[in-house]
Amino acid sequence: MSWFRRGTFALLCAGALSAAPALAQRQAGPGRPADFLDPGFHRGRRDALRQLMPAGSVAVILTAPVRNRANDISFLYHQNPDLYYLTGYDEPDGVLVLFKEPQTVGGQSGVTEALFVQPRDPKRELWTGRRLGKEGAKQELKLQYVADNKDFATAGIAWDKFSQVLLPELPTDVRDEADDPADLFNLVAALRQQAKVPADYNPRLTEIHQLISRFGVVNADNLRPYITNQASQQPALAADAYVQAYLKADTKEAREKVVAARPATRFDSGALNNALDELRAVKTPEELKLLRQAVRISAVGQQEVMKALRPDMGEMELQGLHEYVYRKYGAEYEGYPSIVGAGANGCILHYEVNDKPRVGNDLVLMDCGAEYHGYSADVTRTVPPSGKFSPEQKQIYELVLAAQEAGFQACKPGAAFRAPHEAANKVIVEGLKKLGIIKTDAEVRRYFPHGTSHYLGLDVHDRGGYGPLQAGNVITVEPGIYIPEGSDCDKKWWNIGVRIEDDILVTSNGWENLSKEAPRSVADIEALMAKPSALDDFKLPVLK
């Protein structure tokens, strides 16, 4: 969920070289886990994407930038999930090119896929870890054509012959490394020059054009307000003649004429995004194996923290316990910054500071998810540090739980993506009215301000088209009620924040709760919290 920036090697000074740790997510070499996705999986994903590409087209996917944290120190590198999905490549400064029809690249004919990677460099690898290089990438990742990134500009790709160039948003905030002529900055520059990408290329604009083309007539009631809102925030949309013509069209016939007159362009991000949304939204068996592992690890983390939790513990300590469990089971990272909020902090949806030194007797909302081999879980539980819910806490908690149960029942193939939200929202509206916290349906947004579901996978908020649910979708169901201090209701409800979130696999005939091992009911939570924890006797020295 964070963006990262690349650091550079520092100058040789006083005989010591300081190097930025721009490490790959998983490094080449011996001793690595054996259950990463197989090269055959990635090859299958490339073939599936190629099938969805228009005739005569080429698609380009770039590696993610490395992001600077402070001075010459970088954040740990995290690959562009799209590129990882298609290749398994985990290093920076690379580019993947997919061709709808076979091409000649670097003198090799019949090429449908070309990956350009950073070369081996023993001096840098001493500091920042092993690289695959072109030979290693070809051997381990099994791509058809692999070359050094410095060869991208001279590979002889005939860009002018393609009817469409499918591009993502090109990064504009990438650092130019003076000692690396083929870093991401230079790869983007070479792509712009070789493919003649217009200086004002705006992928967001092409996406809006495509939305108008696809939904401008059949779903105008929803699309027009959305585009109006987007145009109010983005000057390029507000100034675009096609967008304005559509917004001014006030009849079905007028909209049909606008849709038919969509401006032609060779450069298109919408088609690429739509194809990747379609593919990544439906998980393969290989993906589900890793996702199940990430979710189970996260559920066990919730169990262990529930048993260890005491009122004298701090939010940061609880965060550390979750993340220790993740590492213990081999999960490399968190899928997003852990959220551990006690009392008033639990009413902040994306509270990430986690620095309250003592949680006391307030409810603690713990929204935490392990990332296992790139796949992220997203599990939330809300529990009382005392081990017992107060009457008010229990009433709000059980209302959210009932809403979640309603959301579960709405998860089935063919249902609208918003069906779980609509079901959960109805329960919360009725419940808050009965408790006297709201008087009208519209007031529910004060206390339940977010949607109930999002896709889950390589991103915690994963790709997907948000159309009808399909078997193979993995989504969250996460209703919540948040009543901050000063709310227009009885003070006894103030600073109660409850969210319950589970990771749901849509199956051919319904749904499966992947995170069911984390207790949800009041009785099950209180029973688990009464059990001893392996951490009860863990004592560290007192720092003086």
Side-chain angles (χ1 to χ4, degrees):
M1 302 236 286
S2 300
W3 288 97
F4 308 120
R5 187 181 177 103
R6 184 174 191 176
T8 60
F9 282 98
L11 295 174
L12 186 62
C13 180
L17 182 66
S18 174
L23 300 181
Q25 179 170 294
R26 64 180 174 109
Q27 295 199 347
R32 292 178 45 242
D35 59 341
F36 283 101
L37 291 167
D38 184 88
F41 165 84
H42 301 290
R43 181 175 61 251
R45 299 297 84 199
R46 294 193 299 276
D47 291 343
L49 176 58
R50 194 178 298 107
Q51 290 295 317
L52 297 175
M53 290 167 55
S57 66
V58 58
V60 182
I61 298 97
L62 298 157
T63 56
V66 183
R67 295 300 185 186
N68 177 254
R69 183 179 186 275
N71 193 16
D72 60 348
I73 302 299
S74 296
F75 285 98
L76 194 65
Y77 184 69
H78 190 279
Q79 185 59 279
N80 171 1
D82 287 332
L83 189 132
Y84 182 75
Y85 180 74
L86 295 169
T87 66
Y89 186 61
D90 246 353
E91 300 176 24
D93 298 332
V95 57
L96 172 69
V97 186
L98 295 179
F99 307 102
K100 179 67 174 182
E101 296 85 14
Q103 304 293 319
T104 297
V105 180
Q108 179 177 326
S109 61
V111 175
T112 58
E113 55 187 32
L115 179 65
F116 298 86
V117 303
Q118 61 179 358
R120 296 294 307 273
D121 186 333
K123 290 183 179 178
R124 288 183 180 246
E125 291 179 52
L126 173 66
W127 290 94
T128 60
R130 300 180 184 91
R131 298 179 178 185
L132 283 174
K134 65 180 181 181
E135 294 302 328
K138 190 164 187 177
Q139 179 179 349
E140 291 197 21
L141 305 181
K142 311 297 184 186
L143 273 91
Q144 184 184 24
Y145 179 92
V146 182
D148 286 344
N149 53 14
K150 63 182 177 59
D151 297 326
F152 175 65
T154 57
I157 297 173
W159 296 98
D160 289 343
K161 69 181 289 185
F162 300 113
S163 60
Q164 282 188 283
V165 181
L166 310 182
L167 292 176
E169 184 171 359
L170 300 178
T172 58
D173 59 345
V174 183
R175 184 177 295 181
D176 183 8
E177 303 290 351
D179 58 348
D180 189 349
D183 61 8
L184 187 60
F185 180 93
N186 288 288
L187 289 173
V188 171
L191 173 62
R192 284 186 173 277
Q193 180 185 35
Q194 297 282 316
K196 298 183 176 62
V197 181
D200 61 351
Y201 170 64
N202 185 335
R204 186 61 181 141
L205 190 57
T206 66
E207 289 175 21
I208 294 295
H209 283 198
Q210 187 170 76
L211 286 174
I212 292 173
S213 179
R214 293 178 64 193
F215 306 112
V217 178
V218 297
N219 201 6
D221 289 346
N222 290 324
L223 183 60
R224 284 165 62 82
Y226 171 75
I227 293 179
T228 299
N229 179 62
Q230 293 295 303
S232 70
Q233 303 173 39
Q234 301 181 52
L237 299 184
D240 183 70
Y242 183 66
V243 171
Q244 289 306 311
Y246 176 71
L247 292 178
K248 290 175 182 177
D250 54 5
T251 66
K252 179 181 178 182
E253 292 73 18
R255 290 176 198 132
E256 287 175 344
K257 289 181 180 179
V258 172
V259 167
R262 178 185 175 185
T265 177
R266 288 184 67 235
F267 301 94
D268 186 4
S269 63
L272 180 60
N273 282 326
N274 289 339
L276 288 167
D277 284 349
E278 179 179 335
L279 293 175
R280 284 180 53 185
V282 179
K283 302 301 185 284
T284 68
E286 300 97 323
E287 291 179 284
L288 284 174
K289 183 177 180 180
L290 298 182
L291 199 44
R292 285 179 183 276
Q293 185 75 346
V295 175
R296 289 202 65 200
I297 290 170
S298 305
V300 172
Q302 293 283 359
Q303 288 180 338
E304 294 305 314
V305 174
M306 286 183 198
K307 290 188 289 185
L309 179 57
R310 301 185 307 272
D312 63 345
M313 299 176 80
E315 293 171 344
M316 196 173 297
E317 183 178 4
L318 298 176
Q319 173 186 345
L321 294 180
H322 279 279
E323 294 171 9
Y324 170 75
V325 172
Y326 300 169
R327 301 305 192 275
K328 183 70 174 176
Y329 285 109
E332 297 90 344
Y333 313 111
E334 303 80 58
Y336 52 94
S338 298
I339 298 168
V340 180
N345 295 335
C347 296
I348 302 170
L349 301 185
H350 280 179
Y351 173 77
E352 299 170 357
V353 179
N354 303 341
D355 65 355
K356 187 174 183 179
R358 187 178 185 278
V359 297
N361 290 320
D362 292 326
L363 284 179
V364 179
L365 188 156
M366 302 182 293
D367 185 340
C368 305
E371 181 183 302
Y372 187 82
H373 296 0
Y375 285 82
S376 177
D378 191 1
V379 182
T380 306
R381 292 294 184 265
T382 307
V383 298
S386 66
K388 293 288 183 181
F389 288 86
S390 73
E392 291 78 18
Q393 292 170 350
K394 182 177 180 180
Q395 285 179 287
I396 298 299
Y397 185 91
E398 291 192 328
L399 175 54
V400 176
L401 185 64
Q404 192 190 34
E405 291 287 351
F408 288 165
Q409 300 308 316
C411 294
K412 53 188 176 183
F417 192 88
R418 281 183 61 84
H421 176 75
E422 299 296 344
N425 191 67
K426 181 179 180 181
V427 172
I428 289 178
V429 167
E430 294 172 354
L432 290 179
K433 281 183 176 180
K434 187 176 293 186
L435 293 174
I437 295 174
I438 64 173
K439 295 181 177 64
T440 67
D441 291 7
E443 291 177 90
V444 72
R445 294 291 291 174
R446 296 180 186 175
Y447 306 111
F448 180 23
H450 59 78
T452 301
S453 300
H454 58 76
Y455 293 104
L456 196 62
L458 283 169
D459 286 300
V460 66
H461 297 152
D462 207 29
R463 277 190 176 274
Y466 290 90
L469 294 173
Q470 305 174 67
N473 289 160
V474 179
I475 66 171
T476 62
V477 176
E478 51 175 312
I481 295 174
Y482 317 89
I483 311 175
E485 185 173 348
S487 295
D488 185 19
C489 62
D490 193 309
K491 291 183 179 180
K492 69 180 182 179
W493 306 114
W494 287 4
N495 292 330
I496 294 178
V498 174
R499 181 162 65 251
I500 312 172
E501 178 179 19
D502 283 273
D503 301 339
I504 303 301
L505 169 64
V506 180
T507 65
S508 59
N509 57 3
W511 54 275
E512 177 189 350
N513 184 354
L514 302 181
S515 47
K516 62 185 177 183
E517 289 178 84
R520 293 190 304 123
S521 73
V522 167
D524 287 347
I525 288 172
E526 291 183 346
L528 183 66
M529 295 186 73
K531 294 183 177 180
S533 165
L535 297 170
D536 287 341
D537 296 326
F538 180 62
K539 305 292 184 182
L540 290 173
V542 176
L543 299 180
K544 298 180 180 179

